[in-house]
Amino acid sequence: MKWIVNRMPKKIISNDFKSRSGIKFILDTFGSWFVFFFIIYIILLIKAVTIRNIETNIFFAAYSIIITVYILSRFLLSYFHKSIPYNSNYEPSITFVVPAKNEEDNIKETIKRFGQVNYPKEKIEIIAINDGSTDNTLKEMQTAANEIRRKDMQIKIINWEINRGKRDGMAEGIKRAKNDIIIFVDSDSFIERDCVKHLVKYFSNLEVGAVSAHTDVYNRDTNLLTQMQAARYFIAFKVYKAAESIFGSVTCCPGCCSAYRTKYLRNVVDKWLSQKFLGVKCTFGDDRSLTNFIIKKYKAVYSPEAKAHTVVPDTFRKYFKQQQRWKKSWVRETFIASSFMWKKNPLAALSFYSYVFLAFSSSIVFFRAVIWHPYVTRAWPIAYLSGLFLMLLLHGMYYRIKVGKRAWFLAILSFWFHTILLIWQLPWAIVTIKDSRWGTR
Amino acid sequence: MYADVSFSKIMQVLSLITLLSLGVILTLNLEMGFIGNTNLFNSLVKNNYEYLKYKSDLSGGGNAFLITGLLSTFKNDVEENSSPETANLVPVLLYHGILDKPDEKNVLLDNFKEQMFALKRAGWRTITIEELYKYIDKGEKLPDKSFLLTFDDGRKDSYYPVDPILKALDYNAVIFVISKYSLGQSSNYYLNKNELKEMLKSGRWEIQSHTKEGHSLYVMDQSGAQGHFYSDRLWLSDLNRLESEEEFTTRITRDFQESKDDLEKALDINIISFAYPFGDYGQNSVNFSKATKIVLNTITPIYPITFYQAWGEFTYNSASHKILVKRIEVAPDWDAQKFIEVINAGRNKELPFTDDLEKDNGWILRWGARSVEDNQLIIKSTEKSSSALIFLDGTQNWADYKFNAKVYTSKGEVITLIANYKDELNHDSCLFSTKYVRIERNINGTKKILVQRKGDSIFKGATRDLGIVTHDSQISCYIDNNLIVESKPLDTIKSSGGIGFKIWDPILNNSEIKIKSINVGPINS
């Protein structure tokens, strides 16, 4: 077990555990990992029993086994994930594209951060689009732009009086960008100084069309809901995107901060802009959709060193709407991706289709375990709910080990609660897929 | 590939996976031992370890059994000296659990191993239920020294300790399971469905039916006395009466059928045989004299072959078209020698046959008392009996022979030599008494005097050579090789059966003879 201890210190020492003495530190980390693997052990035990009784219900047993293999394999793959080193000989020119609507609180900071990046100034271009804001967004943009210009950097502000939508804004940016790489940053996201360096380094490989940055939650300490999302973001990037990234098939380079090769974008921008699904124009899930267009031909990877921070919904109502929007775009884009993912690396393809199976089965399994079975047998669905919780606890332990003791347990508890509460969102998203009313924020 | 697949990372992951799976396997092993499920560790490690040990023992290997065991898996060290002759008679052995610690009811593992090894070394081979069925029903030939190995109840301790032995000896066995238990809730006592499937897969085990509900005792009268499911009419407490004949028939028929159907469906196998719980097919009935008849009538269409434990009968089975097959229930106190004696005693004895009575060659006592000492076979009545009856095992196939015995009479009124013995209800005899010499024939318990000659033929305190001859269906009696009486040929069917003795006196505990030698010679027609 020595290796576990060895590979841990760097990050944690630099963050929260500086003051701890050596031995106590080792015990503490060793203990956390022990708990992590102990949870896996318990999960495996439960699954072994499931396999033994697989005849009782083959579909539900299969679901249970596949989801376990899927989740554990994510952790395993992410452990093998490796980033490439930064090469100062390769420094392509970049264009930041920021579409914004009613973001007076954040837009200034977002743009200001572009001026502070560790990258040659002459290779940076900024395009900010004010998409029909009704507040002071434009004014804030201009204030930030003046600051940028004072640093001899190029910034262009496009002002639309009437709102056209985020996708149009991004497309406008693609069309106007002069540089090799476009970095999309949401108007409520803030990048770190080294973010650009670590994003562009992957483009030295011509197969790579898109790179996702690592995004943490900016307003993490606002309340339990944002703490929960912080844990969720961290795991989604560090584990799930890292696992996908091994094969260069990251299925979503999120809008908060992702880089694309301009040349490849130009080829697809018109198709993307006029994308229709079931006859309805697509107005949300722009990031997942754009990634889909790229990974059809090229690779999309994840750069854990490229760091950004984003503001997440801090009320349940906003969170709920965001989740519903994401679910819808997930259904649509997954449907599209299914048509070509099989051509990718077999392991990546297997992972993808397994996940599709799991996502679509989850609500059926949930219905049976939590509603139907308890109704028929008059028994509480303790096995299912504790199994689900155990899985999330595993994620929580990972989060705690990597990030430190925060409100990780409460975050996981609330994640568990929200998973159960919002499980019906996916089937609902399928049913209402053509309805785009929730398309705008 | 954006992956770091360095050697150290792979080793780390591999060792963790090994550690975790080992943990899971060991825990499941514990848990399954606890709730009584398939023992993963057992089947993976212990079973093979024991198999090698037995394999090595068989080839005379010492402590380095793992090596000798492995080596001997490649060559067959044991001389398969089974003769090319065909078997006249076939024994069926019955065990229940095989234990490490004695419980007075079940055979110990060490004894079981010795018994199986002794059989193997003597050239015995196991047969399948199908082979036995074809032998019994159609008279299909089996090699000499064939036997069927059976276990009752479907207990876990019939399988786990035994399987490595079967594997090492290349033997197979039949296990009669209680479908209600083996297909029902998991227990730590009975084999479950998964284990049965595993057993079938090994090819060493056949599963047959032992009953569904009939392994428990049921109330059979108002007082609450308990009886057997298949042989007693049960007490219907809510109706305050015994069940009717019809209800009895329906109940047992359903159980026979359901046990078969459930096992066939669950395990995808053919069930052709049934072992009666307690060995009771109605013959031990307390309150229903028609039980035997009904049981045999209802079971025949469902199971072509059924098993019971035989006591006081010929131990081996002959090709007889009989639905009832006898089994030798191996007792816990038999050592290897006693076991071999029983097995050898039951084997078909060849004519001419001489018994110098140095040892017991398989004299089976029906009642009274007997002993073999000082080269004599001594038969006595007891304080509770006015008579005694014994017969010689392994003689049931005999026909057309002359049976002579040198008999010293201590006391008693009638000395009987028996021929054509099938059972106590079916045999021919010469009765030598103080008043007459008489030839009797017993058919299904009905006694018939064929011929009788008056005069004293019994000599207290003296040794006489008594004889009985059976030839075709004619019986004759001899004293000191002089023909005394002779019956007329009666049946067209040729008589056959074994030899025996019976003694009688009107007073209890007042009969005793000492037999000094026995000669049986064939008579050629």
Side-chain angles (χ1 to χ4, degrees):
Chain A
M1 298 294 277
K2 201 176 159 202
W3 61 276
I4 293 173
V5 181
N6 283 343
R7 59 183 283 268
M8 285 312 303
K10 288 173 230 155
K11 187 182 172 72
I12 292 176
I13 282 178
S14 66
N15 292 340
D16 314 87
F17 289 85
K18 259 179 197 161
S19 57
R20 301 222 164 188
S21 70
I23 293 171
K24 200 173 178 199
F25 163 76
I26 287 169
L27 276 176
D28 203 275
T29 23
F30 180 84
S32 316
W33 280 107
F34 182 79
V35 173
F36 178 80
F37 285 108
F38 188 74
I39 297 169
I40 294 186
Y41 161 78
I42 299 287
I43 291 171
L44 289 177
L45 266 185
I46 295 171
K47 300 303 157 171
V49 174
T50 312
I51 290 176
R52 208 169 51 197
N53 304 325
I54 198 158
E55 289 158 42
T56 48
N57 199 319
I58 199 111
F59 171 76
F60 294 102
Y63 173 85
S64 161
I65 303 300
I66 293 173
I67 196 159
T68 309
V69 172
Y70 181 80
I71 291 173
L72 294 182
S73 70
R74 296 308 96 182
F75 282 102
L76 185 67
L77 285 174
S78 71
Y79 178 60
F80 282 108
H81 177 256
K82 190 183 73 175
S83 17
I84 62 170
Y86 173 64
N87 177 3
S88 57
N89 293 327
Y90 177 74
E91 280 183 340
S93 56
I94 58 155
T95 299
F96 286 108
V97 174
V98 194
K101 183 199 167 195
N102 295 345
E103 285 285 3
E104 59 182 3
D105 293 343
N106 300 320
I107 189 68
K108 194 172 146 198
E109 177 69 14
T110 304
I111 296 174
K112 224 173 85 184
R113 296 246 182 161
F114 298 154
Q116 293 163 354
V117 294
N118 268 338
Y119 208 69
K121 284 177 194 169
E122 65 280 6
K123 291 189 174 176
I124 301 176
E125 178 197 21
I126 300 163
I127 299 173
I129 299 123
N130 176 33
D131 186 9
S133 297
T134 52
D135 60 358
N136 286 328
T137 302
L138 183 63
K139 210 176 148 198
E140 292 289 318
M141 263 184 189
Q142 279 159 347
T143 316
N146 289 337
E147 232 173 277
I148 292 289
R149 286 192 188 108
R150 246 175 273 144
K151 291 182 178 176
D152 293 333
M153 288 164 77
Q154 303 175 40
I155 180 160
K156 204 177 286 169
I157 293 176
I158 297 158
N159 186 28
W160 290 341
E161 295 294 332
I162 297 158
N163 177 263
R164 298 191 196 174
K166 192 180 170 191
R167 192 175 291 219
D168 285 77
M170 288 168 78
E172 188 69 20
I174 294 169
K175 284 171 188 165
R176 296 212 188 190
K178 293 183 196 134
N179 289 343
D180 305 335
I181 307 293
I182 292 176
I183 301 175
F184 293 107
V185 180
D186 276 351
S187 48
D188 54 0
S189 301
F190 317 115
I191 61 169
E192 287 190 11
R193 296 188 60 191
D194 285 335
C195 180
V196 176
K197 271 166 64 174
H198 291 296
L199 280 176
V200 300
K201 64 185 180 185
Y202 285 92
F203 288 101
S204 61
N205 178 356
L206 283 175
E207 281 183 303
V208 173
V211 180
S212 161
H214 176 87
T215 309
D216 280 320
V217 170
Y218 185 74
N219 53 341
R220 186 185 68 208
D221 297 325
T222 306
N223 56 29
L224 188 58
L225 186 67
T226 60
Q227 276 166 345
M228 172 200 104
Q229 292 178 81
R232 203 182 161 180
Y233 266 66
F234 184 83
I235 298 285
F237 280 93
K238 279 279 178 210
V239 179
Y240 288 77
K241 278 209 200 317
E244 287 178 336
S245 182
I246 285 186
F247 309 104
S249 57
V250 172
T251 49
C252 176
C253 294
C256 19
C257 180
S258 292
Y260 289 83
R261 200 187 293 275
T262 315
K263 202 165 80 184
Y264 298 164
L265 283 183
R266 292 250 162 84
N267 296 334
V268 298
V269 65
D270 291 326
K271 261 198 258 172
W272 174 64
L273 191 57
S274 58
Q275 186 193 14
K276 282 188 175 179
F277 188 71
L278 302 173
V280 179
K281 193 169 181 218
C282 304
T283 53
F284 48 84
D286 312 303
D287 42 7
R288 189 175 280 275
S289 165
L290 192 58
T291 311
N292 240 351
F293 273 97
I294 293 297
I295 54 168
K296 218 172 191 170
K297 273 192 187 164
Y298 309 105
K299 283 188 169 164
V301 300
Y302 158 65
S303 174
E305 298 90 349
K307 287 194 183 116
H309 303 267
T310 192
V311 177
V312 297
D314 52 6
T315 66
F316 181 73
R317 192 181 154 78
K318 282 196 230 163
Y319 175 70
F320 174 83
K321 283 193 168 184
Q322 180 206 48
Q323 291 299 307
Q324 186 65 22
R325 223 166 39 233
W326 286 7
K327 291 268 161 42
K328 274 195 187 183
S329 66
W330 182 86
V331 171
R332 182 187 74 215
E333 295 304 327
T334 296
F335 186 78
I336 294 164
S338 298
S339 65
F340 62 80
M341 279 305 283
W342 56 272
K343 295 176 197 157
K344 298 272 167 188
N345 176 294
L347 204 53
L350 184 68
S351 300
F352 175 81
Y353 292 109
S354 308
Y355 186 64
V356 173
F357 166 76
L358 293 173
F360 284 111
S361 317
S362 64
S363 38
I364 301 171
V365 172
F366 181 86
F367 176 78
R368 175 186 181 264
V370 178
I371 297 163
W372 175 250
H373 211 252
Y375 174 75
V376 173
T377 61
R378 306 269 160 209
W380 287 91
I382 291 162
Y384 176 84
L385 293 180
S386 54
L388 182 65
F389 181 73
L390 213 55
M391 274 297 184
L392 291 175
L393 192 64
L394 185 69
H395 291 85
M397 269 320 288
Y398 187 84
Y399 178 63
R400 182 193 182 278
I401 290 167
K402 294 282 182 181
V403 181
K405 289 178 183 170
R406 299 224 168 101
W408 68 278
F409 187 76
L410 279 177
I412 285 306
L413 206 62
S414 102
F415 190 12
W416 175 73
F417 179 70
H418 282 99
T419 306
I420 294 165
L421 206 63
L422 299 181
I423 194 96
W424 54 271
Q425 275 194 329
L426 186 76
W428 183 247
I430 297 169
V431 175
T432 61
I433 190 87
K434 289 174 83 169
D435 180 359
S436 58
R437 266 180 299 172
W438 281 342
T440 49
R441 283 198 257 184
Chain B
M1 290 273 280
Y2 295 94
D4 172 13
V5 281
S6 62
F7 178 73
S8 68
K9 269 203 173 184
I10 289 173
M11 287 317 287
Q12 286 161 10
V13 167
L14 281 183
S15 48
L16 259 174
I17 289 175
T18 316
L19 212 67
L20 278 169
S21 25
L22 216 69
V24 171
I25 288 171
L26 288 175
T27 318
L28 282 183
N29 187 49
L30 271 177
E31 175 253 357
M32 287 187 288
F34 184 66
I35 67 155
N37 246 308
T38 305
N39 204 314
L40 211 62
F41 175 75
N42 200 327
S43 61
L44 284 178
V45 183
K46 199 160 163 243
N47 188 300
N48 285 319
Y49 170 86
E50 282 171 357
Y51 159 68
L52 288 176
K53 204 173 77 178
Y54 291 131
K55 193 83 186 168
S56 157
D57 284 356
L58 192 64
S59 54
N63 286 329
F65 66 86
L66 277 177
I67 296 160
T68 47
L70 272 171
L71 284 176
S72 60
T73 53
F74 297 113
K75 55 185 166 87
N76 207 344
D77 280 338
V78 177
E79 283 285 305
E80 295 261 359
N81 55 355
S82 56
S83 50
E85 292 166 45
T86 55
N88 289 309
L89 301 166
V90 174
V92 180
L93 293 182
L94 165 62
Y95 294 87
H96 285 81
I98 301 299
L99 309 182
D100 289 327
K101 289 180 191 138
D103 73 344
E104 312 284 304
K105 285 179 197 145
N106 293 284
V107 175
L108 288 174
L109 178 58
D110 285 345
N111 287 343
F112 177 77
K113 183 202 147 188
E114 283 307 313
Q115 291 163 7
M116 290 301 115
F117 273 51
L119 287 175
K120 182 72 179 182
R121 291 198 173 108
W124 286 84
R125 63 186 282 277
T126 51
I127 55 170
T128 63
I129 194 93
E130 187 74 26
E131 285 176 299
L132 182 80
Y133 173 58
K134 283 179 177 162
Y135 167 79
I136 299 272
D137 188 57
K138 304 196 173 74
E140 275 188 23
K141 300 238 180 319
L142 285 173
D144 192 25
K145 293 188 175 173
S146 294
F147 76 106
L148 184 74
L149 178 58
T150 71
F151 294 85
D152 271 5
D153 301 353
R155 297 162 53 156
K156 282 186 199 297
D157 57 9
S158 301
Y159 170 51
Y160 288 104
V162 171
D163 193 52
I165 297 180
L166 297 187
K167 197 174 169 189
L169 301 184
D170 198 16
Y171 275 4
N172 51 276
V174 180
I175 188 153
F176 291 96
V177 302
I178 302 163
S179 60
K180 176 182 160 187
Y181 298 142
S182 276
L183 302 180
Q185 277 283 315
S186 267
S187 76
N188 57 9
Y189 188 76
Y190 293 107
L191 291 158
N192 64 28
K193 191 173 151 189
N194 289 337
E195 287 170 313
L196 294 181
K197 283 187 168 170
E198 189 182 287
M199 291 165 81
L200 288 170
K201 222 163 77 182
S202 78
R204 289 186 289 277
W205 294 88
E206 293 177 283
I207 317 278
Q208 297 289 322
S209 169
H210 192 25
T211 183
K212 182 176 182 181
E213 301 282 350
H215 208 263
S216 318
L217 293 173
Y218 291 83
V219 173
M220 56 165 184
D221 67 24
Q222 206 162 8
S223 76
Q226 292 184 312
H228 290 169
F229 188 82
Y230 299 111
S231 65
D232 291 309
R233 290 203 283 167
L234 304 188
W235 180 256
L236 307 172
S237 57
D238 41 346
L239 301 172
N240 211 33
R241 64 169 174 85
L242 274 180
E243 65 186 351
S244 66
E245 180 182 326
E246 199 180 43
E247 285 163 341
F248 172 86
T249 311
T250 312
R251 174 169 62 79
I252 65 164
T253 310
R254 198 175 70 203
D255 193 88
F256 289 146
Q257 190 66 51
E258 281 180 356
S259 178
K260 176 186 158 94
D261 291 349
D262 293 351
L263 286 168
E264 287 188 336
K265 200 175 145 223
L267 302 170
D268 193 22
I269 50 172
N270 263 334
I271 302 286
I272 59 165
S273 67
F274 183 89
Y276 299 101
F278 319 108
D280 186 1
Y281 53 86
Q283 82 277 30
N284 298 329
S285 179
V286 176
N287 68 8
F288 194 29
S289 58
K290 287 164 87 177
T292 303
K293 205 179 143 213
I294 295 175
V295 165
L296 293 181
N297 281 342
T298 53
I299 205 166
T300 307
I302 304 169
Y303 300 95
I305 170 167
T306 66
F307 293 87
Y308 71 108
Q309 290 90 296
W311 290 284
E313 297 182 48
F314 290 112
T315 47
Y316 282 33
N317 294 285
S318 44
S320 60
H321 312 279
K322 268 191 180 170
I323 186 171
L324 283 167
V325 177
K326 292 175 285 201
R327 293 192 290 178
I328 305 165
E329 183 166 13
V330 179
D333 57 347
W334 291 2
D335 55 15
Q337 198 194 338
K338 164 75 180 168
F339 175 81
I340 289 300
E341 268 173 28
V342 173
I343 293 295
N344 283 338
R347 276 170 65 74
N348 185 49
K349 293 181 167 66
E350 299 292 332
L351 288 175
F353 172 80
T354 306
D355 193 344
D356 53 14
L357 300 165
E358 253 181 56
K359 59 176 171 50
D360 186 342
N361 277 313
W363 290 95
I364 295 176
L365 184 76
R366 285 303 290 126
W367 58 82
R370 69 98 211 259
S371 60
V372 178
E373 54 195 56
D374 305 330
N375 289 8
Q376 297 180 113
L377 171 61
I378 302 166
I379 311 167
K380 292 179 210 174
S381 58
T382 65
E383 283 165 8
K384 286 173 188 164
S385 66
S386 59
S387 68
L389 172 68
I390 64 170
F391 65 95
L392 183 60
D393 204 4
T395 61
Q396 62 266 53
N397 274 5
W398 286 359
D400 294 336
Y401 54 85
K402 182 171 193 230
F403 163 31
N404 280 79
K406 287 203 168 66
V407 180
Y408 170 83
T409 309
S410 312
K411 51 188 175 179
E413 197 179 306
V414 182
I415 313 296
T416 307
L417 258 64
I418 299 172
N420 295 333
Y421 184 89
K422 291 178 186 69
D423 53 47
E424 61 213 60
L425 305 179
N426 293 282
H427 54 262
D428 298 327
S429 41
C430 285
L431 286 72
F432 304 93
S433 89
T434 48
K435 293 164 190 152
Y436 55 79
V437 173
R438 179 198 281 177
I439 298 174
E440 270 182 18
R441 169 156 289 187
N442 282 274
I443 296 171
N444 293 329
T446 313
K447 192 196 298 177
K448 194 172 164 191
I449 300 168
L450 299 184
V451 56
Q452 177 172 309
R453 184 173 155 186
K454 297 221 159 147
D456 186 2
S457 61
I458 182 162
F459 305 92
K460 269 182 204 160
T463 303
R464 306 299 294 265
D465 186 345
L466 304 178
I468 181 168
V469 169
T470 166
H471 184 222
D472 288 338
S473 61
Q474 203 176 358
I475 306 292
S476 25
C477 306
Y478 292 78
I479 298 176
D480 295 331
N481 284 319
N482 300 316
L483 176 65
I484 310 295
V485 286
E486 189 177 25
S487 71
K488 295 188 180 72
L490 264 182
D491 304 310
T492 46
I493 308 157
K494 195 170 165 176
S495 307
S496 71
I499 60 169
F501 293 98
K502 190 180 172 187
I503 54 173
W504 180 81
D505 191 88
I507 304 163
L508 290 177
N509 202 11
N510 197 37
S511 298
E512 180 181 289
I513 58 170
K514 292 176 177 170
I515 300 152
K516 315 241 159 159
S517 73
I518 286 159
N519 272 293
V520 187
I523 295 174
N524 301 316
S525 36

